Amino acid sequence: MRLISLARASRDDRGSALAAVVGIVLLTVVVALTVATTTVQSLERTDDTRDTVSAEFAAEAGVAVAQAAIEGAACGGGTFASSSAAPFHRTIVQHVVGGVMTNGCPTADEEYRIVATGYDSAASYAADDGRSVEARYEAVPQPFAPTGPAMYSHGGMSFGNNGDIQPLTGDDMSIMMHDGDLVCANSISGNTDVIVKSGNLTAGNGCEIGGDTWVLSGSATLANGASIAGKLVASHLVIENNHSGTLGPLYADDTTGSAPGQLADHGPVQSKSAAGAMPRVPGWVDFEFEAADWPGYTVVTLSGCNRTAAKSALDSLAGAPGVLNALHCIELDLTGLGQTTVQTLTANVAIFAPSFKLSQTKFAGQTGNERLWLVTPDYIDNGVPSCGEADGTGIIVPDDTSLANSSEFTNLAVMLYTPCSISFGNSLVIHGQVYANSIHVKQHLTYRYAPTGLPGTNLTEGTDTPPIELALSSYRNTSTTAKSLGAP
């Protein structure tokens, strides 16, 4: 009996073990299926995430492309598209017109937005199912900082007798010539450097230069009482026998033609290469009238081409910054403006004309912080002065500008710009800068360098600067796509 009971118990244990094994197998299968399902779902989510991220990056790239185009004044029609290789973007720029966002690129002071949509495939593009980013900007005019030398001539410069040229506040200043010769018989006082890039220097009696003088590739000829306080650097140096002025250190590679006694008195003459790094004379900057360069200025077109029309336009500004447009004239004759009562400026003013005539013309600033620009435009964007070139209308023909006797520009900074020549008559008083093709001074010029510059330019580097600066006001994802706004 006991053996029978043991046999039955053994069969019952084997049945229980089988059930346990089957249960473990089933549990393993369930776990495996769960893991497999989770893995597949995870992979699908990974693919979705990857596609979303790539589309997002493409959209952000679209914003960057549009932003760079606007900063570089190359926005064009305001739509941008990358290649169709996935991922890719479609981007559009809109600006505010009459309070409404309108497709197109902004000008200065206009609010605008960039909407860029990224797509991970051609199918998502066809369905317009991408990731969109919206960037809103305020277009802020680039802060204006005066640049450039005290005087810049591209093609020649001469100074007559009994002048006084120096900084207004004791700062360093420079006089630069790109091409042509410099003839000096005038006082250039203070710590003023003179740099002649391609021409020659002839310095005679009355020429006194307070800083360094660089004649980068030509000859420097010194005669009579010519004096240079700083160092003189030239490829070829000639000190004539009648020279009686004082000189600083001399650097030249060739002294053929110099009086031996003069070389002995002023020597030794060192090699030009020992003078140190040569200064750079920047190229010419073309400048014409563009309203975007003058944000916040009221533009007034003159009713005539004389001082009466100019004074009427100045009075109409009522103390606000303004631009007087006389480009329809042949010459703007300001003779006698301010002769009886000095024309006082209480805000900055720019005057554009094909040429100017100024005799007994007197401007002054009320506080000393005012600026005045007298500009003859250069319409040909070629990096050299283009005098006498029309703007395409056949009306505007720039010509030389003449500043005759007893004109004064005081207690303000004035910029004189022309692609032609500027001739200074007798007994002139000017605070500011001069930028011209050629500059000719007769005598008795009192000139004080006051940095003025031109908006939208860097005259120190010889380059244009972007007219606007971007100020980001918001950056967010959006459900609006660039395609729905008109992007290709």
Side-chain angles (χ1 to χ4, degrees):
M1 292 293 295
R2 180 176 175 81
L3 291 175
I4 294 173
S5 297
L6 289 174
R8 289 177 178 172
S10 177
R11 285 196 298 268
D12 291 341
D13 289 343
R14 287 198 300 270
S16 299
L18 179 60
V21 170
V22 171
I24 292 172
V25 170
L26 291 175
L27 179 60
T28 302
V29 170
V30 170
V31 170
L33 290 174
T34 301
V35 170
T37 301
T38 303
T39 301
V40 171
Q41 291 174 344
S42 296
L43 290 173
E44 290 175 348
R45 284 196 297 270
T46 299
D47 289 342
D48 292 341
T49 301
R50 182 193 59 208
D51 293 342
T52 299
V53 170
S54 62
E56 186 95 24
F57 280 152
E60 291 176 354
V63 170
V65 167
Q67 177 183 349
I70 295 171
E71 287 181 331
C75 184
T79 59
F80 305 89
S82 61
S83 65
S84 297
F88 55 91
H89 72 81
R90 297 294 183 264
T91 302
I92 194 165
V93 178
Q94 293 187 314
H95 63 129
V96 177
V97 178
V100 178
M101 280 290 182
T102 305
N103 292 353
C105 297
T107 58
D109 289 332
E110 285 186 339
E111 293 184 1
Y112 64 95
R113 71 173 180 172
I114 300 171
V115 177
T117 305
Y119 301 97
D120 59 69
S121 65
S124 65
Y125 171 72
D128 201 14
D129 182 19
R131 298 285 294 179
S132 294
V133 174
E134 178 194 74
R136 286 184 175 266
Y137 296 89
E138 293 179 357
V140 180
Q142 192 170 49
F144 175 63
T147 59
M151 289 186 174
Y152 179 98
S153 168
H154 194 273
M157 190 181 298
S158 63
F159 293 98
N161 298 322
N162 301 320
D164 183 10
I165 302 172
Q166 58 183 297
L168 180 62
T169 60
D171 296 330
D172 294 349
M173 73 178 224
S174 61
I175 295 174
M176 294 186 176
M177 276 188 44
H178 194 277
D179 297 316
D181 298 332
L182 170 60
V183 179
C184 173
N186 204 345
S187 174
I188 304 174
S189 309
N191 191 18
T192 304
D193 294 338
V194 174
I195 307 165
V196 181
K197 180 182 178 182
S198 300
N200 304 313
L201 166 67
T202 300
N205 198 34
C207 180
E208 298 179 3
I209 299 175
D212 295 333
T213 300
W214 302 79
V215 185
L216 301 182
S217 62
S219 297
T221 301
L222 308 178
N224 299 317
S227 297
I228 298 174
K231 61 187 176 185
L232 170 60
V233 184
S235 293
H236 180 208
L237 173 62
V238 177
I239 307 178
E240 297 187 351
N241 192 51
N242 63 357
H243 179 259
S244 58
T246 59
L247 300 175
L250 302 176
Y251 300 84
D253 292 334
D254 183 7
T255 58
T256 303
S258 291
Q262 293 286 352
L263 291 177
D265 290 342
H266 297 289
V269 179
Q270 302 180 64
S271 169
K272 180 183 173 184
S273 61
M278 299 292 157
R280 174 179 174 270
V281 177
W284 176 264
V285 174
D286 303 296
F287 187 77
E288 59 180 301
F289 173 60
E290 294 182 6
D293 290 331
W294 305 93
Y297 283 65
T298 301
V299 179
V300 179
T301 300
L302 268 62
S303 60
C305 303
N306 52 37
R307 69 181 185 187
T308 301
K311 179 158 181 46
S312 176
L314 287 168
D315 291 344
S316 72
L317 294 174
V323 175
L324 305 190
N325 184 351
L327 294 175
H328 55 284
C329 301
I330 299 300
E331 177 184 71
L332 179 57
D333 187 352
L334 298 180
T335 298
L337 178 62
Q339 178 182 7
T340 303
T341 302
V342 174
Q343 183 66 47
T344 300
L345 300 182
T346 58
N348 296 344
V349 173
I351 306 177
F352 285 78
S355 65
F356 293 87
K357 182 179 180 181
L358 303 103
S359 179
Q360 300 182 16
T361 305
K362 298 182 179 181
F363 282 89
Q366 185 177 62
T367 67
N369 296 319
E370 293 79 13
R371 292 174 182 161
L372 172 66
W373 292 268
L374 302 180
V375 178
T376 293
D378 187 339
Y379 294 104
I380 311 301
D381 188 13
N382 57 2
V384 295
S386 301
C387 181
E389 299 290 346
D391 71 339
T393 65
I395 298 175
I396 302 167
V397 182
D399 204 348
D400 297 340
T401 289
S402 173
L403 285 83
N405 301 340
S406 303
S407 291
E408 296 182 3
F409 300 85
T410 57
N411 205 40
L412 53 69
V414 59
M415 163 59 84
L416 305 174
Y417 174 97
T418 176
C420 304
S421 70
I422 291 181
S423 299
F424 295 93
N426 298 327
S427 303
L428 300 178
V429 179
I430 296 176
H431 297 172
Q433 286 178 264
V434 180
Y435 196 97
N437 185 14
S438 59
I439 300 171
H440 306 287
V441 179
K442 291 185 178 179
Q443 58 184 356
H444 301 298
L445 170 66
T446 300
Y447 182 93
R448 297 292 181 266
Y449 168 53
T452 311
L454 290 169
T457 69
N458 186 327
L459 301 180
T460 302
E461 298 297 327
T463 59
D464 294 326
T465 57
I468 61 174
E469 186 177 85
L470 302 181
L472 182 64
S473 59
S474 70
Y475 193 95
R476 64 187 182 89
N477 292 107
T478 178
S479 59
T480 303
T481 66
K483 192 175 177 183
S484 69
L485 296 175

